[in-house]
């Protein structure tokens, strides 16, 4: 997977924001996912973060992706 950082202005934070470029076609194991970030640029995608800290980008409009987001949100609410 390829991530690229979006150039910011000189006054922006030193923390670079990574964007999804290549999307994984595979369905991920929801149990391994701990977090996610929604992205609209350059493509509408969800970046899932696994328990190991690996970031994987997937297309936001897949059914299993919506299920995974709901599971993560439910887990967060339960804590």
């Amino acid at each position: 997977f390829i991530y690229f950082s979006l150039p910011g202005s000189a006054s922006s934070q030193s923390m670079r924001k990574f964007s999804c470029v290549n999307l994984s076609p595979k369905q991920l194991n929801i149990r391994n996912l701990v977090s996610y970030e929604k992205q609209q640029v350059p493509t509408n995608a969800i970046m899932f973060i696994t328990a190991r800290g690996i970031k994987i980008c997937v297309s936001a409009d897949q059914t299993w992706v919506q299920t995974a987001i709901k599971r993560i949100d439910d887990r967060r609410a339960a804590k």
Side-chain angles (χ1 to χ4, degrees):
F1 303 104
I2 299 169
Y3 302 105
F4 72 94
S5 55
L6 298 171
S9 64
S11 63
S12 69
Q13 308 90 347
S14 60
M15 182 74 192
R16 290 264 171 89
K17 182 143 176 69
F18 289 100
S19 294
C20 296
V21 180
N22 290 357
L23 302 181
S24 171
K26 290 190 293 200
Q27 181 167 340
L28 308 173
N29 185 341
I30 294 172
R31 279 189 230 116
N32 294 340
L33 307 175
V34 294
S35 182
Y36 67 91
E37 289 176 24
K38 292 183 179 179
Q39 303 201 325
Q40 270 81 42
V41 182
T43 180
N44 188 19
I46 302 293
M47 180 191 289
F48 283 118
I49 296 126
T50 68
R52 290 186 181 156
I54 299 165
K55 295 176 178 175
I56 304 164
C57 296
V58 296
S59 174
D61 53 15
Q62 298 177 78
T63 310
W64 75 265
V65 172
Q66 302 307 318
T67 304
I69 288 170
K70 188 175 181 320
R71 289 262 175 88
I72 292 168
D73 288 344
D74 289 350
R75 253 187 263 157
R76 283 182 186 160
K79 284 185 180 174

